[in-house]
Structures are given as structure tokens and as C-alpha cells.
Amino acid sequence: SAIIDKQLPVDPKRVILYAVQDMKLTRITGGNCKMIEATSCGGVVIYRGKILALYKSYKNRYEGWVLPKGTVEPGETHIETALREVHEEAGVRATVVKYIGKSHYNFTVPEDIVTKEVHWYLMTADNYHSRPQREEFFVDSGYYKFHEIYHLLRFSNEKQIVEKAYQEYLEMRSQGLWGKQRRV
């Protein structure tokens, strides 16, 4: 899928097209670019009070513990993307309970800054089984207690989303709604 540069003001001679290939943004046409936008979706999967996380290691270099998420594909809804990414990255067939919010962050690719928006969903699973996707350099996965995952997660924006999702889970459970809720 392609992503178009959203620089301001837009100069048609400087619009740059990118393609997502091998989990990297690749410049298709030449020119100078300052910032591009990308959208991903992911899930905070909770089963019996524990939260799913994935450990990423690229070429034996520590990447850290993260939540499953990924890029929206053409024609896909945000919910479809979140469910697909949880299944692809962790081997978990989850069910969406509710939307919990979005996070924003920036990262750089050669010569450019990517501003990313991630839409997050609270999800549930039917068991603790998970299988990390080796092709994406996930080498471990599992379900962890809130205080464990909070300290394991590498990124502060994911810690904030987990905190919000876990509070939603606790509230629903205290009201007897967890596991009985009408799922999105």
C-alpha cells in the first residue's frame, strides 16, 4: 500500500509516494520530504486478567516487549486490521470488546519523519495460547499480569494504552459484564 506525504503547504512537485515493503517505508519517487503520516491498529488482549505481549529481537538486538499492531491494508476497517494483526503477530484469535483510544508517535526513516497514529481495541481471547510471528522478528509471546507487562513494555504510549484498557477490563469485570458483553 502507498502512503502520500502530507507536508504543508502541499507542493505537487514535492509530493512523495512511499510503499510499505518488509515493514519499512520505501521511497518510490525522488524529492525532499519532511513528514509522512501512517495509520496502524492493534489490540490489548486480556484473558483471565492477563495481557498479551510480544518480544521483538532483530539480529539478536534487543527491540523490546510490545503490543500487537500493524498497518491498515486497503479496504480494511480499523477493527479488521486490529484483529488481523493480533492473529498474524501472536497467533491469537481474539474478539474485540471495545475501542479504547489512540496513541501517536514519530520515528525516522532515512531523510524523513513518520508520524504514526495507532487505534487500539480492548480484546479478549479464549485461552492463553500464543505463537510469535518469526517473520516479523517476534521471538517470544505470552500473557502477563498488569504490573508485569507495565514494566516489560518498551514504549510509554503502549504503557498508557494498557493502563486504560486494564481499567476498562476491571470496571467491566466488577459490573459482571466481562465475558458477557456484546462484542463489537
Side-chain angles (χ1 to χ4, degrees):
S1 64
I3 302 168
I4 296 177
D5 176 20
K6 298 274 187 166
Q7 67 186 18
L8 294 175
V10 175
D11 177 352
K13 295 176 189 169
R14 293 176 45 140
V15 171
I16 297 174
L17 195 60
Y18 288 82
V20 178
Q21 296 174 337
D22 301 323
M23 295 304 293
K24 294 180 183 175
L25 291 173
T26 304
R27 188 183 294 249
I28 295 174
T29 59
N32 295 325
C33 181
K34 300 291 185 220
M35 186 174 288
I36 60 172
E37 295 178 354
T39 303
S40 289
C41 300
V44 178
V45 183
I46 300 179
Y47 178 68
R48 293 190 177 175
K50 293 186 177 181
I51 304 161
L52 176 67
L54 297 158
Y55 182 77
K56 190 168 201 168
S57 178
Y58 180 69
K59 295 185 178 179
N60 294 321
R61 194 180 94 223
Y62 170 76
E63 295 281 327
W65 288 91
V66 296
L67 298 172
K69 66 181 175 304
T71 305
V72 178
E73 292 183 355
E76 226 176 21
T77 67
H78 287 180
I79 289 174
E80 290 168 340
T81 300
L83 289 168
R84 178 181 52 76
E85 289 293 339
V86 166
H87 184 253
E88 286 178 1
E89 292 185 352
V92 173
R93 292 215 181 268
T95 303
V96 171
V97 176
K98 67 187 299 187
Y99 181 76
I100 52 174
K102 58 187 168 180
S103 59
H104 299 271
Y105 60 92
N106 297 323
F107 62 93
T108 58
V109 292
E111 302 176 22
D112 301 306
I113 298 172
V114 177
T115 180
K116 187 136 200 174
E117 178 177 81
V118 183
H119 294 271
W120 294 101
Y121 294 87
L122 175 59
M123 298 181 179
T124 187
D126 293 333
N127 57 57
Y128 286 122
H129 174 75
S130 66
R131 179 189 30 78
Q133 183 183 32
R134 303 284 182 201
E135 299 82 17
E136 297 293 332
F137 309 106
F138 294 114
V139 296
D140 197 4
S141 63
Y143 288 82
Y144 298 90
K145 293 177 182 177
F146 173 75
H147 71 275
E148 294 170 330
I149 198 168
Y150 191 83
H151 293 291
L152 283 175
L153 288 173
R154 179 172 182 193
F155 302 110
S156 61
N157 59 358
E158 290 191 358
K159 289 181 181 191
Q160 291 169 353
I161 287 297
V162 162
E163 192 169 13
K164 185 174 181 180
Y166 195 70
Q167 288 303 314
E168 292 279 348
Y169 158 76
L170 290 176
E171 187 175 314
M172 291 179 79
R173 196 180 75 180
S174 73
Q175 295 172 0
L177 299 174
W178 187 258
K180 299 177 184 177
Q181 69 276 11
R182 183 175 151 253
R183 295 179 178 141
V184 176

